[in-house]
Amino acid sequence: MLEDLREWIKEEASKCMFCGFCETVCPTIKFGPHRGYGPRGRVNIALYISEGGKYTEEALSSLYSCLLCAACTLKCPANIDIPEIVRASRVLYSEDSLKEAIVVEKKVS
Amino acid sequence: MEKDKIVRDISKLIGKDKVSGDEALLSIYSKDPLGNVGKALAVVFPEESKDVSRVVSYAYKNDIKIYAQGSSTSLAGSSLPKEPGIVISFERMKKVLEVSLVNSYVLVEPGIRIDDLNLELGSKGYMFPVDPASSSVATVGGAINSGAGGMRGAKYGTMRDWVLGLEIVLPDENGTIAFAGCKTLKCRQGYDLVRLIVGSEGTLALVTKAYLKITPLPETVIVALAFFPRLENLMEAVVDIKSQRVQPYILEFLEKRTAEVAAKSIGRSINIDGHMLLAGIDVNREAVDRYVEWIEKLLKEHGGKGIQTARSWQEAEERGLFDIRRSLFVAQSKMAREIYKNVNNAKIMLLIEDIAVPPSRLIEAVKGLKELEKKHGFVTMLGGHVGDGNLHPSIGFNMLDPEETKRAERWFEDLVDLAISLDGTVSSEHGIGITKKEALRRELEARGSLKLLEIMKDIKKVFDPKNILNPGKVV
Ligand SMILES: Cc1cc2nc3c(=O)[nH]c(=O)nc-3n(C[C@H](O)[C@H](O)[C@H](O)COP(=O)(O)OP(=O)(O)OC[C@H]3O[C@@H](n4cnc5c(N)ncnc54)[C@H](O)[C@@H]3O)c2cc1C
Ligand code: SF4
Ligand code: SF4
């Protein structure tokens, strides 16, 4: 189930052509410190994670600063459902971090 | 040098909020629209010229490569950190510093997006006319360094016609800040280094400020859209327009099938009766009726079908006359995805090419492209700027399929030969980057001018003796 989700994110986010058109309507990118706070950044960070990348501080800031307003999807020539990718990545994170926590707990005990 | 040390050192030099070594963040500064993946070791967000100078000086002393980025929308691989190095992203340097109508210039920082600049200028009745299809995203610094152009190219030219002066940071020990060119419209400052920097793709110097020429917005622009069953008729209409002492504001073309895909992809149910021509002509308000009648009649006489006209740019926007042309990129990417929708694990690469031929040879170019489609078996999407002969044929292929990748390479080689044989060029506005280096060599060779490539390499060495700025690009 979790692996299906990971695969779905990978598949959907791989459609991104890096054109950046989505950035022009995103309400958060203007207030963030960099491209990570815009849809292009979020999709590609989600892709990075789905391919086994680390949940770094910037990755989490990027994914959790999204308002899920979906303005970006209207601009996307690849028809990517960007907020859905963000949502799915958040689910993945909570599941993955739970697993991590269990491993740590086991190690401690 | 070790990545963490680079981040620590740069933090000390310009402040820790202006640099990051976060792996996830770096992954989004290591990509481009072609699907290339590079390796950024750190990303730096300068806020003023001095920040850039300090980082460049540091990189020079420590032999670290530097890659400038605006919005990373280059279609030639120009902004990719191909070898491990520092990405300098200009996204925080995006101020309009001065607008001077009396001097006909605007002074800007390089990270401002072209549409944002035009929003500011539009409120004063002025504009910056270079309009790549990516203008909502593309930055001035990226456009300068790509030598970008756009729909208004036939009338207003490309970036090289609109840059007056540049503040640049040189890749030397001190990260020297220098100013090339003038604030004045006329300028004869020895060799023209401004034009050398324009289109140099971040390989010679980093641009930190730019004086750009501006021009008044036209009083109004009438717009006409028509479809021609035969390409010959479309071209005759174009020649007729030009022979009547009219220099169109825009003159755009979409091949029939591409127009169909584009229209479908944006849900427009319009009858595409042939190849599409979109013309805009800037006129005085009093002359609108006369020009609308004239162009309608002219298009009809040449066999144009489904003719629609608008009496102003705004009306054309409201009625969606630009929509199909603006959806070329959508059509290109949609077509590629459609073809591979049943192929498991396909990684689609879109090649969007950028040849130009003299407009009088456009028919031969389009016919040649059709032959290449048959020969190599790639569905080709095609549109471009008839006004200046710039065509953007595109194909999609599966990067994971070695046979297809080889075939795509051969398609590109044949395309280069086609452009050269028609007295054209391999890149009109996208630049050379990594994808067209061999094509540039072939073009110069075909003109018996390979010596110029050596001169270009020498120029690179003079500016950048340690080869730290965007290495491996252009030459
Ligand atoms: C959908 C789509 C449509 C496009 N349509 C057009 C079009 O119609 N016409 C056209 O010309 N191009 C077009 N392009 C290509 C591209 O968008 C343009 O070349 C654009 O000007 C690049 O701007 P950028 O800010 O993204 O630059 P980037 O891609 O970030 O950089 C481009 C080059 O400039 C260098 N650079 C950036 N900033 C600086 C700086 N401050 N100092 C020194 N070097 C710097 C980079 O190193 C790189 O070599 C299109 C691209 C896409 C994705
Ligand atoms: S959904 Fe998220 S990424 Fe998309 S526009 Fe809204 S805030 Fe930006
Ligand atoms: S608009 Fe779509 S394809 Fe373009 S960068 Fe954004 S998510 Fe990617």
Side-chain angles (χ1 to χ4, degrees):
Chain A
M1 166 74 189
L2 205 58
E3 286 323 300
D4 287 350
L5 196 63
R6 209 185 301 277
E7 271 312 305
W8 178 81
I9 296 173
K10 202 193 287 185
E11 205 172 295
E12 192 69 8
S14 305
K15 291 184 195 156
C16 175
M17 291 170 304
F18 221 69
C19 63
F21 288 172
C22 49
E23 289 179 356
T24 58
V25 292
C26 174
T28 57
I29 192 166
K30 289 182 199 67
F31 301 100
H34 49 61
R35 215 186 268 168
Y37 285 71
R40 176 167 58 163
R42 289 179 180 126
V43 167
N44 284 282
I45 281 179
L47 179 63
Y48 163 85
I49 302 249
S50 70
E51 288 174 339
K54 282 190 231 118
Y55 291 103
T56 64
E57 203 181 321
E58 290 287 3
L60 295 177
S61 307
S62 169
L63 294 171
Y64 281 86
S65 57
C66 175
L67 306 175
L68 307 174
C69 69
C72 48
T73 52
L74 299 173
K75 284 276 169 190
C76 178
N79 279 336
I80 301 176
D81 191 338
I82 299 159
E84 202 47 45
I85 289 186
V86 173
R87 256 186 229 111
S89 302
R90 290 178 186 175
V91 172
L92 201 63
Y93 171 62
S94 52
E95 296 288 334
D96 280 344
S97 52
L98 210 60
K99 266 195 300 191
E100 244 347 65
I102 294 165
V103 174
V104 174
E105 212 168 88
K106 271 190 183 155
K107 269 190 196 155
V108 173
S109 60
Chain B
M1 190 190 283
E2 187 210 337
K3 184 186 128 199
D4 292 345
K5 178 160 165 42
I6 294 177
V7 175
R8 267 198 317 273
D9 289 348
I10 296 180
S11 298
K12 275 191 214 134
L13 281 174
I14 61 170
K16 68 175 181 0
D17 296 341
K18 298 182 194 168
V19 56
S20 175
D22 183 287
E23 285 295 339
L25 191 63
L26 293 179
S27 76
I28 61 174
Y29 288 88
S30 302
K31 289 188 168 182
D32 73 6
L34 297 179
N36 292 313
V37 178
K39 182 77 192 129
L41 294 175
V43 53
V44 180
F45 306 101
E47 292 175 8
E48 54 177 330
S49 309
K50 275 189 202 143
D51 291 341
V52 180
S53 166
R54 286 188 185 122
V55 175
V56 168
S57 161
Y58 168 78
Y60 180 91
K61 287 173 193 154
N62 293 287
D63 288 311
I64 302 169
K65 313 285 182 209
I66 298 174
Y67 301 89
Q69 283 185 10
S71 276
S72 298
T73 62
S74 162
L75 293 174
S78 320
S79 59
L80 187 82
K82 203 169 152 243
E83 299 168 37
I86 303 169
V87 166
I88 299 190
S89 174
F90 283 93
E91 64 203 274
R92 290 189 197 166
M93 289 177 67
K94 55 178 180 191
K95 286 196 280 293
V96 174
L97 299 169
E98 187 190 349
V99 182
S100 175
L101 300 189
V102 65
N103 295 321
S104 308
Y105 70 62
V106 59
L107 172 63
V108 292
E109 292 184 326
I112 187 165
R113 298 181 182 214
I114 295 176
D115 278 8
D116 291 340
L117 170 61
N118 272 324
L119 218 56
E120 171 99 15
L121 294 174
S123 66
K124 296 177 170 58
Y126 271 70
M127 67 169 175
F128 180 69
V130 182
D131 60 339
S134 53
S135 62
S136 60
V137 203
T139 64
V140 163
I144 290 173
N145 277 278
S146 311
M151 285 215 285
R152 296 190 282 234
K155 182 150 202 136
Y156 293 99
T158 63
M159 286 309 284
R160 70 175 180 180
D161 304 303
W162 292 88
V163 184
L164 297 173
L166 293 172
E167 182 187 89
I168 50 176
V169 173
L170 295 167
D172 62 17
E173 192 162 1
N174 303 316
T176 303
I177 301 177
F179 186 82
C182 309
K183 289 185 186 182
T184 50
L185 295 179
K186 291 180 177 169
C187 178
R188 278 294 298 111
Q189 197 186 57
Y191 296 133
D192 190 346
L193 296 183
V194 171
R195 288 256 185 128
L196 185 57
I197 302 289
V198 175
S200 65
E201 303 181 32
T203 61
L204 301 181
L206 300 185
V207 171
T208 45
K209 283 188 190 106
Y211 280 93
L212 306 173
K213 220 165 26 167
I214 54 175
T215 191
L217 280 163
E219 202 171 306
T220 189
V221 179
I222 64 145
V223 179
L225 179 74
F227 299 93
F228 293 83
R230 294 182 59 236
L231 194 62
E232 284 79 0
N233 298 61
L234 183 147
M235 283 314 295
E236 278 159 20
V238 169
V239 173
D240 204 0
I241 294 172
K242 286 184 127 181
S243 324
Q244 303 204 30
R245 290 188 293 129
V246 171
Q247 173 71 288
Y249 190 69
I250 58 165
L251 204 49
E252 297 289 303
F253 150 79
L254 235 61
E255 180 265 343
K256 181 172 189 282
R257 187 181 41 190
T258 311
E260 281 165 354
V261 179
K264 202 169 150 211
S265 65
I266 49 170
R268 290 281 299 273
S269 55
I270 172 173
N271 199 10
I272 309 278
D273 249 345
H275 308 296
M276 189 186 98
L277 181 70
L278 176 70
I281 298 168
D282 45 326
V283 296
N284 294 337
R285 253 183 219 107
E286 294 75 14
V288 165
D289 287 341
R290 186 157 55 87
Y291 273 96
V292 170
E293 265 171 43
W294 167 75
I295 192 129
E296 237 172 30
K297 188 161 162 274
L298 184 150
L299 294 172
K300 242 184 231 148
E301 276 170 10
H302 289 285
K305 297 202 179 340
I307 300 170
Q308 294 185 56
T309 52
R311 299 166 58 78
S312 69
W313 191 271
Q314 194 184 345
E315 187 193 330
E317 288 279 8
E318 280 162 13
R319 293 186 26 219
L321 264 52
F322 302 116
D323 291 0
I324 299 180
R325 172 58 185 93
R326 286 199 185 127
S327 306
L328 176 59
F329 182 58
V330 181
Q332 289 165 329
S333 44
K334 270 238 155 71
M335 177 54 90
R337 280 204 313 280
E338 196 61 33
I339 292 170
Y340 291 97
K341 73 173 184 245
N342 295 324
V343 181
N344 277 341
N345 283 328
K347 178 116 183 79
I348 305 166
M349 172 117 173
L350 200 56
L351 280 187
I352 300 182
E353 287 315 321
D354 183 33
I355 58 169
V357 297
S360 60
R361 309 205 69 175
L362 270 173
I363 295 179
E364 291 165 81
V366 175
K367 284 188 178 151
L369 282 162
K370 289 263 170 217
E371 277 161 28
L372 292 191
E373 177 171 274
K374 261 192 231 140
K375 180 174 168 193
H376 297 290
F378 288 114
V379 178
T380 313
M381 294 280 100
L382 179 61
H385 319 280
V386 236
D388 53 26
N390 181 192
L391 288 175
H392 296 304
S394 78
I395 61 164
F397 67 94
N398 181 5
M399 282 163 83
L400 304 179
D401 181 335
E403 184 278 324
E404 236 177 63
T405 308
K406 269 258 142 2
R407 216 159 13 102
E409 279 166 16
R410 285 199 298 270
W411 174 84
F412 177 61
E413 282 166 16
D414 283 352
L415 178 74
V416 169
D417 288 344
L418 177 69
I420 295 172
S421 72
L422 296 174
D423 293 331
T425 182
V426 296
S427 178
S428 321
E429 52 183 24
H430 294 171
I432 302 300
I434 36 183
T435 55
K436 294 192 182 65
K437 278 174 72 171
E438 173 56 17
L440 170 68
R441 198 197 62 76
R442 296 239 310 266
E443 180 176 326
L444 288 170
E445 187 179 44
R447 309 262 185 268
S449 305
L450 263 186
K451 175 93 199 278
L452 298 184
L453 197 58
E454 294 312 311
I455 293 178
M456 289 184 199
K457 285 181 181 162
D458 288 344
I459 290 173
K460 165 75 176 163
K461 272 186 213 142
V462 171
F463 271 86
D464 182 18
K466 283 195 167 184
N467 194 27
I468 56 169
L469 278 194
N470 211 359
K473 313 283 175 71
V474 190
V475 289

